[in-house]
Amino acid sequence: MALTKDWPPRRIVVLTGAGISKESGLDTFRDKDGLWSRVRLEDVATPEAFRRDPARVQAFYNARRQGLQDRAVQPNAAHRALARLQAAPRFETLLVTQNIDDLHERGGSTQVLHMHGELLKAECLACGGVHLWPGDLDTASLCPACAARGRLRPQVVWFGEMPLEMERIQAALAACDLFVSIGTSGNVYPAAGFVAEARAGGAHTVELNLEPSEGARLFREAHHGPASEIVPAYVESLLALAT
Ligand code: BJW
């Protein structure tokens, strides 16, 4: 139920996290069986870790890049529902994801803002070029643009680095009528602060997650359960408003 700005909403911001891809076969980070239960984030997800031991960091992302391209990993009903929402002309929907996978795109979304980067891309520390990179990276990989050797890194945002497209996201949060957060634990900033920014702008705020997140109390509405069930149901309720 909307308690705040324009309703039915016109401008929508959707934020997704690892939980939306869990049923597609990808790991979350902070669940009991998540990535951070098997590897210390300080060893693989900081610029310092990359400087200290680039081979280890490359191996961590090589394994995840291979996993993402396993045939069993496919978009699920939640990714596809968000693509339908984005395609509905009644709404202006900005889809922001913390995920580095490409499951939103494979689920039919054409405009996805990857604030923590993309696993299937590599960035050259020598020339700044960003390249599609479906294969492995190692400490001798050659940049296709400037030919520097060993300067390519996964195009992902590690702790202490600035997430991408923040100005655009913050402008959209200030202007939106509805903010929907899906499958994220609300532990990592600045994404964890988006709900407060949307609220400050007067938006209605909705959490769709397996369980209440860290910031659950900040949302005006919540639905808990597997993303593949609750996201399509919520999207259908929005699309019904548009008819
Ligand atoms: C389901 C489900 C199902 C399960 N259906 N749901 C002290 C205070 C405040 C901030 C800081 C601080 N000290 C340091 C900071 C900043 C730091 C930070 O936030 N640290 C915290 C740990 C405190 N942040 C940064 O450094 C960021 N940069 C930054 O702040 O720059 C300065 C700046 C300031 C202001 C404006 C702009 C910039 C960068 C953060 C980079 C995060 N990088 C990672 C790795 C990326 C590459 C990779 O994938 O390897 O991003 S860490 C990891 O966490 C990854 C994720 O995108 C991110 C968020 O995780 P997510 O998606 O929430 O996953 P989980 O596992 O936590 O949660 C999953 C949820 O799904 C759970 O709730 C489940 O219940 C649910 N779920 N199955 C529905 N089937």
Side-chain angles (χ1 to χ4, degrees):
M1 188 207 323
L3 301 171
T4 47
K5 237 173 172 177
D6 281 0
W7 202 263
R10 187 169 67 81
R11 285 171 291 197
I12 303 175
V13 176
V14 176
L15 171 71
T16 65
I20 196 170
S21 297
K22 173 75 176 169
E23 292 162 86
S24 294
L26 297 181
D27 288 319
T28 59
F29 295 91
R30 294 168 188 81
D31 289 319
K32 257 199 256 126
D33 58 349
L35 281 168
W36 297 158
S37 71
R38 302 199 288 277
V39 55
R40 279 169 19 107
L41 70 86
E42 294 83 356
D43 291 337
V44 293
T46 67
E48 294 77 22
F50 188 63
R51 277 194 291 276
R52 206 166 48 236
D53 192 348
R56 177 169 189 187
V57 174
Q58 298 287 26
F60 174 71
Y61 284 97
N62 286 343
R64 289 176 62 198
R65 199 179 295 108
Q66 288 166 16
L68 176 58
Q69 295 174 91
D70 186 307
R71 288 171 62 144
V73 174
Q74 297 293 335
N76 65 54
H79 298 103
R80 291 193 293 273
L82 292 178
R84 289 198 296 282
L85 179 65
Q86 269 196 305
R90 163 73 177 73
F91 304 114
E92 278 172 34
T93 305
L94 180 68
L95 177 55
V96 180
T97 187
Q98 298 169 87
N99 300 342
I100 61 175
D101 66 56
D102 62 347
L103 295 178
H104 282 302
E105 288 87 347
R106 286 201 258 153
S109 283
T110 51
Q111 303 229 325
V112 186
L113 210 153
H114 285 271
M115 64 178 288
H116 291 165
E118 294 178 69
L119 185 56
L120 298 178
K121 291 183 178 169
E123 181 178 346
C124 178
L125 293 171
C127 71
V130 174
H131 308 283
L132 278 177
W133 207 276
D136 284 355
L137 279 171
D138 60 39
T139 51
S141 296
L142 199 65
C143 173
C146 73
R149 191 173 285 284
R151 305 302 308 281
L152 291 171
R153 58 166 277 183
Q155 197 244 345
V156 301
V157 177
W158 289 318
F159 284 101
E161 297 184 320
M162 184 65 86
L164 309 175
E165 306 258 23
M166 284 306 299
E167 275 184 28
R168 193 170 154 208
I169 296 170
Q170 273 157 344
L173 289 167
C176 72
D177 305 309
L178 171 65
F179 171 71
V180 187
S181 173
I182 302 171
T184 176
S185 63
N187 274 284
V188 176
Y189 287 84
F194 288 177
V195 58
E197 292 182 54
R199 275 180 72 131
H204 182 57
T205 52
V206 178
E207 170 165 278
L208 306 177
N209 205 50
L210 193 59
E211 60 196 11
S213 72
E214 286 285 313
R217 70 187 189 290
L218 295 169
F219 292 88
R220 289 195 184 275
E221 181 180 346
H223 302 272
H224 298 129
S228 66
E229 294 173 16
I230 59 176
V231 175
Y234 187 73
V235 165
E236 287 315 315
S237 74
L238 288 177
L239 293 175
L241 292 174
T243 55

